[in-house]
Amino acid sequence: ADAKTVSRLRDAGAILLGKLATHEFAHGGPSFDLPWPPTRNPWSLDRFTGGSSSGSAAATAAGLVAGSLGSDTGGSIRGPASYCGVVGLMGSSGLVSRAGVLPNSYTLDRCGPFTRTVEDAAILLEAIAGFDANDPGSIQVTIPNYRAASKRPVKGMRIGALRHIWEEELPQPAEVVAAMDAAIRALRDLGVVIEDVRLRSMREYNDVKIVIAESELFAIHHRDLVERPEAFGEDFLSRVLPACLFSAGDYVQASRAQRRMMSEFAAIRPRFDALLSIVFGPAPPLIGHDPTSFWRRANAQPMANVLGAPAIALPSG
């Protein structure tokens, strides 16, 4: 059976060309010990595409397809979109059905489109969004005309700039800082009201995401991890196996922290139409990947998954 997103694309008249590469079980990577090679970045074949929706971003950037689908548990749409220079959109929690998608995290998984323009992303989102009883996390919501909405003037919008992320917590290369400054100037020139705003540290959102998502991923693959761990790639194992050290108490406390974070965000949300943050900087070389960096280095992407908020990665610079 088709995944719900696929059947909805068919119903909308899309021409489906095939399946694209992803990291092992939509997690980790790049991995060099698997039966298939890691996806290469079409802008520079010795560079990384990001993960986990690597093939989706690369195929869209290379012009092999007009658009593609990916999944996102902590940045797996937005990261590849950033590294490959395309638009990657993760809708609000419950907006797009996950039925038919092999789960990574029951709590945090989302689906969404990759495209080369924002208008194309709006077209694809409108086609795949909507309630689905086969996804327990799906919500009943009226789907607006996203394409028309994408053409509205931005004058008067209020945007909160999460400047502390790229200037203090996760210092960025000079070209990323310059691109962010240029984006803020461009938005102000268009009449957008931009105000600096500060949220919790990205490390706190990252820790909540990791405890919840790795615990759920460990549970999903528990039997195979016990009976045939050699069948998994090294990078995947480096992420999922440490979850056996998490306790039921850790999982419950992370879930409680998530609710507190959502409550805090609900108080900030009415002040702004959107928040401005970073994804990733220039795509790194494929060689030299360190699997332990997942545990040592926070990033700005899991925040939106933990909060249930939508997020879009846009080409910049």
Side-chain angles (χ1 to χ4, degrees), residues 237-276:
L237 291 175
S238 75
R239 297 192 181 208
V240 72
L241 282 184
C244 72
L245 302 176
F246 295 147
S247 68
D250 293 327
Y251 183 83
V252 170
Q253 294 292 6
S255 296
R256 295 181 68 214
Q258 182 189 19
R259 299 305 304 180
R260 288 194 294 272
M261 290 170 170
M262 287 177 167
S263 179
E264 293 167 1
F265 185 63
I268 294 172
R269 189 173 171 274
R271 292 169 50 192
F272 302 103
D273 298 297
L275 298 177
L276 182 67

Side-chain angles (χ1 to χ4, degrees), residues 82 187 197:
S82 176
L187 288 167
V197 62

Side-chain angles (χ1 to χ4, degrees), residues 112-151:
F114 290 87
T115 58
R116 290 194 293 279
T117 69
V118 170
E119 183 179 9
D120 285 351
I123 293 169
L124 278 188
L125 181 62
E126 194 168 329
I128 64 177
F131 177 73
D132 178 18
N134 291 318
D135 178 358
S138 186
I139 57 172
Q140 292 274 9
V141 62
T142 301
I143 305 302
N145 185 331
Y146 290 120
R147 186 179 189 182
S150 72
K151 297 178 180 294

Side-chain angles (χ1 to χ4, degrees), residues 1-196:
D2 284 336
K4 189 64 175 181
T5 48
V6 171
S7 64
R8 283 183 167 157
L9 284 177
R10 287 191 196 279
D11 292 343
I15 300 169
L16 300 174
L17 301 181
K19 295 184 179 182
L20 297 161
T22 183
H23 291 330
E24 188 176 20
F25 295 109
H27 200 34
S31 297
F32 298 92
D33 59 347
L34 298 174
W36 59 90
T39 308
R40 294 180 178 272
N41 195 310
W43 296 103
S44 179
L45 296 180
D46 62 345
R47 292 184 181 270
F48 188 31
T49 56
S52 62
S53 304
S54 52
S56 300
T60 304
L64 304 179
V65 293
S68 57
L69 296 179
S71 63
D72 193 313
T73 306
S76 288
I77 289 175
R78 292 157 289 157
S82 176
Y83 281 158
C84 292
V86 295
V87 176
L89 174 59
M90 178 186 76
S92 303
S93 182
L95 181 67
V96 177
S97 173
R98 303 169 301 177
V101 178
L102 189 69
N104 182 317
S105 165
Y106 302 111
T107 302
L108 302 175
D109 287 350
R110 316 267 190 87
C111 303
F114 290 87
T115 58
R116 290 194 293 279
T117 69
V118 170
E119 183 179 9
D120 285 351
I123 293 169
L124 278 188
L125 181 62
E126 194 168 329
I128 64 177
F131 177 73
D132 178 18
N134 291 318
D135 178 358
S138 186
I139 57 172
Q140 292 274 9
V141 62
T142 301
I143 305 302
N145 185 331
Y146 290 120
R147 186 179 189 182
S150 72
K151 297 178 180 294
R152 290 180 194 154
V154 296
K155 185 176 182 179
M157 283 185 66
R158 299 191 61 86
I159 291 181
L162 299 173
R163 194 183 293 273
H164 67 99
I165 296 177
W166 70 85
E167 290 185 348
E168 301 170 25
E169 287 190 62
L170 305 171
Q172 296 297 299
E175 59 262 54
V176 175
V177 174
M180 296 304 291
D181 289 341
I184 289 172
R185 288 195 300 271
L187 288 167
R188 283 187 169 140
D189 289 344
L190 292 169
V192 174
V193 179
I194 297 184
E195 172 189 340
D196 288 354

